[in-house]
């Protein structure tokens, strides 16, 4: 019985044929429909506004704000408290740290309308040049700054750190989650790690906070 004839084809020819086939298929296939990108434009019409009251540094401030206003912008642009700094505006540098109802937060990451009736403390509320908060005095004593841009956030954050330690809140580096934490240099660096200093005044910042925490924690 005669066996069927199998055409011989070289590997090179096979590649040429398959490439030509793929090209022809691509040319002849209909262009797929491209979905129109979703519009990122805000909806037309007036911006939504809301009345609220912020108690900042002991003074009540009635406000009516665009609901998209961050707490940072409410403080700086509407209440003209420019001590709180805008660094990254993305929660990455800590320059905007303030104390809200006793807890330190990044004011660029939260909307003002979420804090109706809250007690807010900014650097202006901690002390004055004539009557400095102990942390402010310690930063001066230990040269805990150079340009000073990060300093209000560092000091507000340090107030929060000292309070957290007093309340026994553990951190990522606490060895014993049930024991009252000791504010070691390692604990301090971890707890202050969200506050960036572009001038690199870290060692002096640690000394300043340690001095105050040592006498208060
Ligand atoms: Fe808020 Fe940088 S400005 S974290
Ligand atoms: Fe300049 Fe910290 S003192 S960024």
């Amino acid at each position: 019985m005669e066996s069927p004839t199998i055409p011989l084809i070289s590997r090179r020819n096979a590649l040429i044929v398959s490439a030509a086939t793929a090209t022809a298929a691509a040319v002849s296939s209909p262009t797929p429909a491209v979905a129109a990108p979703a519009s990122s434009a805000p909806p037309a019409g007036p911006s939504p506004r809301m009345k609220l009251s912020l108690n900042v540094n002991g003074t009540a401030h009635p406000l009516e704000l665009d609901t998209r206003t961050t707490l940072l912008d409410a403080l700086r642009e509407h209440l003209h408290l420019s001590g709180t700094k805008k660094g990254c505006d993305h929660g990455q540098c800590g320059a905007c740290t303030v104390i809200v109802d006793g807890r330190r937060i990044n004011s660029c990451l939260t909307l003002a309308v979420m804090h109706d009736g809250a007690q807010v403390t900014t650097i202006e509320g901690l002390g004055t040049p004539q009557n400095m908060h102990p942390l402010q005095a310690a930063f001066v004593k230990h040269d805990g700054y150079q340009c000073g841009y990060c300093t209000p956030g560092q000091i507000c954050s340090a107030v929060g750190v000292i309070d957290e330690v007093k309340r026994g809140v553990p951190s990522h580096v606490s060895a014993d989650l049930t024991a009252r934490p000791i504010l070691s240099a390692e604990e301090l660096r971890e707890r202050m790690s969200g506050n960036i200093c572009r001038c690199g005044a870290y060692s002096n910042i640690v000394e300043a906070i340690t001095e105050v925490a040592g006498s208060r924690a």
Side-chain angles (χ1 to χ4, degrees), residues 144-151 154 196-201 205:
Y145 53 87
Q146 288 181 35
C147 75
Y149 197 82
C150 72
T151 311
Q154 301 276 5
I196 307 300
C197 175
R198 288 144 186 94
C199 298
I205 290 171

Side-chain angles (χ1 to χ4, degrees), residues 86-89 91-94 96 106 108:
K86 182 181 283 193
C88 63
D89 211 17
Q92 295 172 349
C93 74
C96 65
N106 288 337
C108 71

Side-chain angles (χ1 to χ4, degrees), residues 29-209:
S29 65
T31 306
V34 177
S39 171
S40 59
S47 59
R49 299 183 75 78
M50 192 173 145
K51 290 185 178 172
L52 68 148
S53 176
L54 293 177
N55 189 309
V56 184
N57 302 329
T59 304
H61 294 277
L63 293 163
E64 183 172 346
L65 298 176
D66 184 321
T67 54
R68 297 164 294 185
T69 307
T70 63
L71 179 58
L72 174 60
D73 284 342
L75 293 170
R76 287 181 57 86
E77 311 300 332
H78 296 268
L79 300 180
H80 308 295
L81 291 167
S82 57
T84 306
K85 301 301 185 216
K86 182 181 283 193
C88 63
D89 211 17
H90 282 78
Q92 295 172 349
C93 74
C96 65
T97 307
V98 296
I99 302 157
V100 176
D101 291 334
R103 305 288 169 94
R104 56 181 177 148
I105 64 170
N106 288 337
S107 60
C108 71
L109 283 187
T110 189
L111 298 173
V113 294
M114 295 166 64
H115 301 287
D116 185 20
Q119 307 284 326
V120 182
T121 303
T122 68
I123 193 69
E124 291 93 340
L126 285 181
T128 64
Q130 294 73 33
N131 184 25
M132 288 192 281
H133 184 280
L135 277 165
Q136 291 172 315
F139 268 63
V140 172
K141 177 180 167 188
H142 291 276
D143 267 343
Y145 53 87
Q146 288 181 35
C147 75
Y149 197 82
C150 72
T151 311
Q154 301 276 5
I155 290 177
C156 286
S157 198
V159 169
V161 165
I162 292 172
D163 181 61
E164 286 163 17
V165 170
K166 269 187 187 170
R167 289 188 288 111
V169 179
S171 81
H172 185 64
V173 297
S174 301
D176 183 349
L177 300 184
T178 58
R180 184 167 180 257
I182 308 275
L183 199 53
S184 62
E186 186 189 19
E187 279 277 0
L188 187 48
R189 287 198 167 91
E190 164 62 21
R191 290 171 191 265
M192 292 294 294
S193 61
N195 290 82
I196 307 300
C197 175
R198 288 144 186 94
C199 298
Y202 293 115
S203 57
N204 295 2
I205 290 171
V206 169
E207 281 178 19
I209 300 174

